[in-house]
Amino acid sequence: MEYADILSINVGKPEEIQFQNKAVSTGIYKKPASGPIFLSSTNFTGDGQGDLIHHGGAEKAVCVYPYEHYLFWEKELQRKLEYGAFGENLTIKGLLEDDVHIGDIFQLGAAVVQVSQPRQPCYKLTVRYGMPDMILKVQDTGFTGFYFRVLKEGFVCKEHGLKRISRHPKGITISYANRIKHHEKNDIEGIKKLLEVEELSANWRASCLKRLNGFEPDDRERLTGGLKQGS
């Protein structure tokens, strides 16, 4: 698929909420926006992240999530989901993780963007939906979505859609990267294949290098934010 529909562009500023008796800042509560929105090198106008260590920045400027996964999550969560339900900036239709490659380049309105890495779930999804094992479910299903870095800034509206300009020659899909990261952790050749993609984000590259050198990165802190779920 070389073209995907944009069902919604979602933005939102960080909010402070209570989770397990602690104040948590999160930008996961995004709402659909109307009209052309300017996309800068770091985010859409009107958007923000509560945790700038693990979210946002140049290599994670735009979070994308396929609408095709919504039906699964509606059954799991027993509720109707609105666009932006996963804190994504773009809710799209027609392009899934098994047909998106790290390094692929897309035309997004007047902007040009490039796939940098899969989206990694964090405990903010548990904060929003109260499902303690939701992070693991996202990893197990591979329904993660992905991130764009911005190669060219510009205005975007949903009617523009998302058009692939080029596929990366290495052909490393988001699904493949998720599998190596979360399931086939001892696949050394798979890790090396990921590292061959120069466009892979710095965070994922560092994680792969640690694993290649025999050090298994502990994602628990990132996933839980230091908060013990279920307490």
Side-chain angles (χ1 to χ4, degrees):
M1 183 74 176
E2 300 304 319
Y3 179 88
D5 293 318
I6 298 175
L7 302 182
S8 182
I9 301 176
N10 314 297
V11 299
K13 291 295 188 180
E15 302 177 22
E16 189 170 282
I17 62 173
Q18 291 295 314
F19 179 61
Q20 298 180 355
N21 299 316
K22 292 187 179 182
V24 174
S25 179
T26 176
I28 200 170
Y29 297 97
K30 301 189 187 301
K31 300 294 183 183
S34 60
I37 305 176
F38 186 74
L39 175 60
S40 73
S41 61
T42 54
N43 56 24
F44 281 103
T45 298
D47 194 44
Q49 295 79 32
D51 177 3
L52 293 176
I53 295 176
H54 300 115
H55 304 284
E59 295 196 319
K60 291 178 280 187
V62 181
C63 184
V64 186
Y65 202 76
Y67 182 72
E68 286 86 344
H69 302 327
Y70 269 54
L71 181 59
F72 171 85
W73 290 115
E74 286 177 344
K75 291 179 179 178
E76 289 288 316
L77 297 168
Q78 293 295 296
R79 60 183 289 181
K80 179 68 176 177
L81 297 176
E82 303 296 329
Y83 293 148
F86 298 90
E88 76 270 19
N89 299 115
L90 299 181
T91 310
I92 66 169
K93 188 175 183 180
L95 197 64
L96 300 176
E97 289 88 350
D98 58 2
D99 191 36
V100 178
H101 312 92
I102 298 171
D104 282 1
I105 298 176
F106 290 84
Q107 187 77 44
L108 178 60
V112 177
V113 294
Q114 183 179 52
V115 180
S116 60
Q117 67 167 75
R119 189 255 186 94
Q120 285 188 246
C122 77
Y123 78 99
K124 302 295 177 62
L125 288 171
T126 292
V127 172
R128 183 165 185 174
Y129 295 111
M131 179 185 285
D133 62 345
M134 189 166 182
I135 298 166
L136 294 178
K137 283 184 179 292
V138 172
Q139 291 184 354
D140 289 344
T141 58
F143 298 164
T144 61
F146 50 93
Y147 282 111
F148 284 140
R149 63 169 60 91
V150 178
L151 303 182
K152 178 186 175 184
E153 298 179 341
F155 281 92
V156 181
C157 62
K158 66 180 184 180
E159 290 77 15
H160 290 150
L162 185 64
K163 182 179 180 181
R164 180 154 35 200
I165 298 173
S166 66
R167 289 175 177 259
H168 195 275
K170 294 291 185 181
I172 300 297
T173 65
I174 293 296
S175 293
Y176 181 86
N178 278 328
R179 192 163 68 248
I180 296 300
K181 176 73 172 177
H182 303 303
H183 303 289
E184 300 173 13
K185 298 183 178 183
N186 295 320
D187 186 343
I188 300 302
E189 291 305 312
I191 296 171
K192 289 180 178 179
K193 285 183 179 180
L194 283 176
L195 289 170
E196 288 176 358
V197 183
E198 294 182 3
E199 294 80 1
L200 183 67
S201 71
N203 284 340
W204 268 62
R205 181 169 296 279
S207 178
C208 286
L209 285 171
K210 287 179 180 179
R211 189 173 293 174
L212 195 63
N213 292 326
F215 174 72
E216 174 64 29
D218 184 4
D219 286 340
R220 184 177 179 82
E221 184 73 13
R222 177 186 59 77
L223 294 176
T224 65
L227 302 175
K228 183 179 179 182
Q229 295 182 18
S231 63

